[in-house]
Coordinates of all heavy atoms in Angstrom, one line a residue:
Y9 N -49.1 -101.6 20.5 CA -47.8 -102.1 20.1 C -47.5 -101.6 18.7 O -48.4 -101.0 18.0 CB -47.7 -103.6 20.2 CG -48.7 -104.4 19.4 CD1 -48.4 -104.7 18.1 CD2 -49.9 -104.8 19.9 CE1 -49.4 -105.4 17.3 CE2 -50.8 -105.5 19.2 CZ -50.6 -105.8 17.9 OH -51.5 -106.5 17.2
Y27 N -40.0 -107.0 22.9 CA -40.2 -107.3 21.5 C -40.7 -108.7 21.3 O -40.3 -109.6 22.1 CB -38.9 -107.1 20.8 CG -38.4 -105.6 20.8 CD1 -37.5 -105.2 21.7 CD2 -39.0 -104.7 19.9 CE1 -37.1 -103.8 21.7 CE2 -38.6 -103.4 19.9 CZ -37.7 -102.9 20.8 OH -37.3 -101.6 20.9
V42 N -38.6 -111.2 23.5 CA -37.3 -110.6 23.8 C -37.5 -109.6 25.0 O -38.1 -108.6 24.8 CB -36.6 -109.9 22.6 CG1 -35.3 -109.4 23.1 CG2 -36.4 -111.0 21.5
I60 N -51.7 -110.5 18.5 CA -51.0 -110.9 17.3 C -51.2 -112.3 16.8 O -51.5 -112.5 15.6 CB -49.4 -110.7 17.5 CG1 -49.1 -109.2 17.8 CG2 -48.7 -111.1 16.2 CD1 -47.7 -109.0 18.2
I70 N -38.2 -117.5 25.6 CA -38.0 -116.1 26.0 C -36.5 -115.8 25.9 O -35.7 -116.7 26.4 CB -38.5 -115.8 27.4 CG1 -40.0 -115.9 27.4 CG2 -38.1 -114.4 27.8 CD1 -40.6 -115.8 28.8
V94 N -35.8 -120.0 28.9 CA -35.4 -118.6 29.0 C -33.9 -118.6 28.7 O -33.1 -119.1 29.5 CB -35.7 -118.0 30.4 CG1 -35.2 -116.6 30.4 CG2 -37.2 -118.1 30.7
S108 N -26.4 -114.4 42.4 CA -25.7 -113.2 42.5 C -26.6 -112.0 42.3 O -27.6 -112.1 41.4 CB -24.5 -113.1 41.6 OG -23.8 -111.8 41.7
N139 N -35.9 -123.4 34.1 CA -36.3 -122.7 32.8 C -35.1 -122.0 32.2 O -35.1 -121.7 31.0 CB -37.4 -121.7 33.0 CG -38.7 -122.3 33.4 OD1 -39.1 -122.5 34.5 ND2 -39.5 -122.7 32.3
A180 N -31.1 -104.0 19.9 CA -29.8 -103.7 20.6 C -29.9 -103.9 22.1 O -28.8 -103.8 22.8 CB -29.4 -102.2 20.3
T186 N -32.2 -95.5 22.1 CA -32.6 -94.5 21.1 C -33.4 -93.3 21.8 O -34.2 -92.7 21.2 CB -33.5 -95.2 20.0 OG1 -34.6 -95.8 20.6 CG2 -32.6 -96.1 19.2
P206 N -27.6 -96.7 29.1 CA -28.0 -96.0 30.3 C -26.8 -95.9 31.3 O -26.3 -96.9 31.7 CB -29.2 -96.8 30.9 CG -29.8 -97.5 29.7 CD -28.6 -97.8 28.8
Q257 N -16.8 -89.1 24.2 CA -17.3 -87.7 24.4 C -18.8 -87.7 24.6 O -19.3 -86.9 25.4 CB -16.9 -86.8 23.3 CG -15.5 -86.6 23.0 CD -14.8 -87.8 22.4 OE1 -15.4 -88.5 21.7 NE2 -13.5 -87.9 22.7
V299 N -36.1 -81.3 44.0 CA -37.1 -80.2 44.1 C -38.1 -80.3 43.0 O -39.3 -80.1 43.2 CB -36.4 -78.8 44.1 CG1 -37.5 -77.7 44.0 CG2 -35.6 -78.6 45.3

Side-chain angles (χ1 to χ4, degrees):
Y9 57 89
Y27 296 99
V42 179
I60 296 171
I70 295 172
V94 177
S108 178
N139 291 94
T186 56
Q257 297 77 27
V299 171

